[in-house]
């Protein structure tokens, strides 16, 4: 990044702080006003130039690329017609609303390797200019950030402060909670007020934030539904959200090993969408292998992709319909064949 000149630094502080004098306390108001007036002509000559020095909580850095998100979901996410449709509508609808009544809350469920983390990345890449590297995207992993049950009350307080501080810094913050199925029950309820229909809490509005929960919980219900459709000779694309949403929310709510067990987030209907991720079939694993070869700069080889896909463990054991780990192990398996 190009080092900021002194006058550029002052302007960056003014621009990124939204004009708040609190952000430049050491400088007197009169001096700040004088310098701003002297530089007005310069800014008029070079509009928006200072927005590019560093990431700011402004539209130049945060705005939805709806077309990009649709293309990414269509071309990069395999076997998830329900999730693709929900994610596109939910995110585009929320981001186009200048005055949402509450934050967007998405709960993504399914077996490992089906695309939950990948979808979170696609959302970030198409909302934030810096993608997952944005300072406004925050990831919490249960086993890393909240490992000890004995520290539950401390975690609750810390989580509240982390979210409040980051939303205060940028209303369009995104929070991703991974491994919700391993989170201590009761912890996520500590942020329930931030997800509710409040205009402001202690002077802070959370209505423009995005919360995404990732969990394996409910995966059994999703898989059983997909298996029932397969046994009935029906195509997986016939599965609709209505076939899974109620079943999924109940399964998650009543799962004692899940961080969403009996949570008020579900009880109070604060989760906007429960997004099911279907188990992947051989054809989808094949697509993952081809995509990984392209990502590595190799010419995609169908025969190699076939070898990798066949090497994956499937169930039921006799029919070998669904990949147990989805596309989770494709990257490591390719190392063996390439």
């Amino acid at each position: 990044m190009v080092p900021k000149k002194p006058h550029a630094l002052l302007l960056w502080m003014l621009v990124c702080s939204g004009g708040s004098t609190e952000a430049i306390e050491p400088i007197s108001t009169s001096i700040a006003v004088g310098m701003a007036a002297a530089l007005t002509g310069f800014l008029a000559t070079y509009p928006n130039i200072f927005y590019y020095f560093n990431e700011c909580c402004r539209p130049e850095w945060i705005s939805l690329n709806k077309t990009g998100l649709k293309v990414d979901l269509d071309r990069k996410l395999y076997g998830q017609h329900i999730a693709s449709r929900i994610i596109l509508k939910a995110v585009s609808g929320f981001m186009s609303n200048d005055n949402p009544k509450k934050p967007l809350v998405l709960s993504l469920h399914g077996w490992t390797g089906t695309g939950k983390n990948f979808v979170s990345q696609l959302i970030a890449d198409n909302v934030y200019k810096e993608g997952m590297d944005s300072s406004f995207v925050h990831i919490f992993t249960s086993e890393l950030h909240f490992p000890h049950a004995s520290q539950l009350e401390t975690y609750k307080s810390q989580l509240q402060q982390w979210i409040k501080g980051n939303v205060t810094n940028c209303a369009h913050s995104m929070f991703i909670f991974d491994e919700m199925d391993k989170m201590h029950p009761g912890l996520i309820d500590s942020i329930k007020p931030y997800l509710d229909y409040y205009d402001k809490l202690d002077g802070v509005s959370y209505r423009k934030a995005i919360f995404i929960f990732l969990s394996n919980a409910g995966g059994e219900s999703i898989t059983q539904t997909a298996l029932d459709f397969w046994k009935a000779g029906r195509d997986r694309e016939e599965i609709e959200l209505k076939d899974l949403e109620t079943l999924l929310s109940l399964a998650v709510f009543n799962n004692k090993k899940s961080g969403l067990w009996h949570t008020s987030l579900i009880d109070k209907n604060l989760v906007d969408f429960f997004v099911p991720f279907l188990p992947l079939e051989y054809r989808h694993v094949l697509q993952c292998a081809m995509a990984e070869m392209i990502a590595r700069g190799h010419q995609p080889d169908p025969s190699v992709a076939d070898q990798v896909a066949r090497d994956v463990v499937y169930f039921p054991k006799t029919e070998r319909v669904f990949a147990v780990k989805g596309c989770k192990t494709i990257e490591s398996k390719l190392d063996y064949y390439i």
Side-chain angles (χ1 to χ4, degrees):
M1 184 177 70
V2 180
K4 303 182 185 71
K5 295 180 180 180
H7 60 274
L9 177 60
L10 172 61
L11 286 173
W12 174 80
M13 292 170 68
L14 285 168
V15 168
C16 291
S17 65
S20 171
T21 55
E22 293 180 4
I24 51 171
E25 254 182 357
I27 304 174
S28 72
T29 304
S30 59
I31 294 176
V33 171
M35 292 182 69
L39 292 168
T40 298
F42 182 79
L43 282 173
T45 306
Y46 300 99
N48 300 330
I49 191 171
F50 293 102
Y51 299 162
Y52 299 96
F53 282 107
N54 205 352
E55 186 180 26
C56 295
C57 185
R58 297 180 58 89
E60 290 80 10
W61 293 88
I62 306 174
S63 61
L64 174 65
N65 179 356
K66 183 177 179 180
T67 300
L69 180 59
K70 185 180 188 306
V71 170
D72 281 348
L73 291 170
D74 289 343
R75 296 181 180 177
K76 299 179 181 180
L77 184 65
Y78 308 122
Q80 305 299 349
H81 65 285
I82 300 175
S84 293
R85 185 168 59 251
I86 297 173
I87 294 298
L88 181 62
K89 289 185 176 181
V91 175
S92 59
F94 179 76
M95 292 298 295
S96 64
N97 187 350
D98 293 330
N99 188 32
K101 300 301 180 184
K102 65 181 290 296
L104 176 62
V105 183
L106 302 173
S107 194
L108 280 49
H109 298 268
W111 275 14
T112 184
T114 52
K116 302 184 298 295
N117 288 87
F118 185 55
V119 161
S120 301
Q121 178 185 323
L122 294 183
I123 294 173
D125 287 345
N126 287 284
V127 172
Y128 301 89
K129 187 176 180 180
E130 295 293 297
M132 292 296 287
D133 293 328
S134 171
S135 57
F136 308 123
V137 175
H138 313 279
I139 303 175
F140 299 98
T141 303
S142 297
E143 292 188 329
L144 175 62
H145 295 101
F146 317 110
H148 308 295
S150 60
Q151 300 295 316
L152 184 59
E153 295 305 314
T154 299
Y155 295 151
K156 287 182 179 180
S157 177
Q158 289 178 339
L159 187 55
Q160 289 174 339
Q161 291 304 313
W162 285 334
I163 291 178
K164 180 179 180 180
N166 283 300
V167 174
T168 300
N169 182 45
C170 181
H172 286 287
S173 293
M174 184 165 84
F175 303 93
I176 302 171
F177 291 84
D178 198 4
E179 300 179 342
M180 282 297 298
D181 47 302
K182 298 177 182 177
M183 181 176 283
H184 306 299
L187 174 56
I188 203 65
D189 277 343
S190 64
I191 68 169
K192 182 259 180 187
Y194 304 150
L195 311 186
D196 215 329
Y197 293 83
Y198 293 114
D199 183 27
K200 289 184 178 180
L201 291 172
D202 294 330
V204 179
S205 174
Y206 298 86
R207 295 180 300 163
K208 294 183 178 180
I210 298 176
F211 292 83
I212 302 177
F213 303 125
L214 312 179
S215 177
N216 291 344
E220 296 84 356
S221 300
I222 297 170
T223 300
Q224 186 59 54
T225 299
L227 193 58
D228 290 342
F229 269 70
W230 178 80
K231 288 180 178 179
R234 302 176 64 183
D235 193 273
R236 68 188 282 126
E237 277 70 31
E238 293 182 53
I239 303 175
E240 299 180 18
L241 179 60
K242 65 181 181 181
D243 297 313
L244 291 165
E245 190 170 34
T246 301
L247 186 68
L248 180 56
S249 62
L250 287 174
V252 173
F253 186 76
N254 292 313
N255 187 340
K256 291 185 178 181
K257 296 182 179 180
S258 169
L260 293 171
W261 178 64
H262 283 195
T263 176
S264 59
L265 272 61
I266 297 177
D267 194 37
K268 300 298 183 182
N269 298 308
L270 297 181
V271 177
D272 296 299
F273 293 97
F274 287 92
V275 186
F277 282 70
L278 302 173
L280 300 183
E281 301 174 9
Y282 162 82
R283 55 185 167 131
H284 306 123
V285 178
L286 194 68
Q287 288 176 300
C288 289
M290 295 285 280
E292 180 61 25
M293 280 187 275
I294 294 173
R296 294 187 183 193
H298 297 298
Q299 183 70 25
D301 188 333
S303 63
V304 172
D306 176 69
Q307 285 181 300
V308 173
R310 290 180 182 279
D311 196 33
V312 168
V313 178
Y314 294 87
F315 81 98
K317 289 185 178 180
T318 53
E319 294 89 348
R320 287 171 54 85
V321 182
F322 301 122
V324 172
K325 295 183 179 179
C327 289
K328 187 84 170 181
T329 60
I330 295 302
E331 185 176 350
S332 59
K333 288 185 180 297
L334 262 180
D335 293 331
Y336 177 77
Y337 291 102
I338 294 180

